[in-house]
Amino acid sequence: MENLNIILATNLKQIREDRKLSLDNLAQITGVSKSMLGQIERGESNPTITTAWKIANGLKISFTELIKSTQENAVVIQKESIKPLVEDSGKYKGYPFFPYESER
């Protein structure tokens, strides 16, 4: 699992940039100092739950949105790229998403 500070830093910076907010603007709406927000975004600070809560409330987002980890490295698997497992003289075909291991 990724370090929670890094997740919070990444999410906060992304939300701030998506909303086109400067650190000054963010400090005004959250009540957290500009320097503290900068440290949080750079992953240099270990903010308290109270500080993270103030940020979430100021941005009008859920606390969870600040600390949720994004899923990366998702892979789309095309049916055509999978070799089917054929049973009962071709009546049934299974398309495994994971490699087939006969000993399992």
Side-chain angles (χ1 to χ4, degrees):
M1 184 175 152
E2 239 183 302
N3 182 325
L4 187 57
N5 288 346
I6 301 302
I7 293 169
L8 190 141
T10 304
N11 290 343
L12 178 58
K13 186 171 186 174
Q14 185 65 52
I15 292 166
R16 183 177 65 79
E17 289 176 349
D18 288 348
R19 294 184 183 189
K20 299 184 182 0
L21 294 170
S22 67
L23 282 174
D24 282 326
N25 297 130
L26 186 58
Q28 288 175 351
I29 64 174
T30 61
V32 178
S33 73
K34 177 182 170 182
S35 61
M36 175 58 82
L37 291 168
Q39 289 174 2
I40 294 169
E41 281 192 2
R42 291 188 301 274
E44 297 171 353
S45 176
N46 186 13
T48 64
I49 291 175
T50 303
T51 301
W53 189 259
K54 286 170 80 173
I55 294 168
N57 283 333
L59 289 169
K60 296 182 177 26
I61 60 173
S62 69
F63 182 78
T64 308
E65 197 169 335
L66 271 181
I67 61 172
K68 70 179 176 184
S69 181
T70 56
Q71 290 286 12
E72 293 185 19
N73 302 327
V75 177
V76 176
I77 300 173
Q78 301 295 327
K79 180 180 171 184
E80 297 79 31
S81 68
I82 301 173
K83 182 180 176 187
L85 302 174
V86 181
E87 294 293 328
D88 199 16
S89 302
K91 291 182 182 177
Y92 301 101
K93 291 183 183 179
Y95 294 88
F97 292 110
F98 302 98
Y100 175 72
E101 296 177 22
S102 61
E103 58 277 351
R104 287 188 154 189

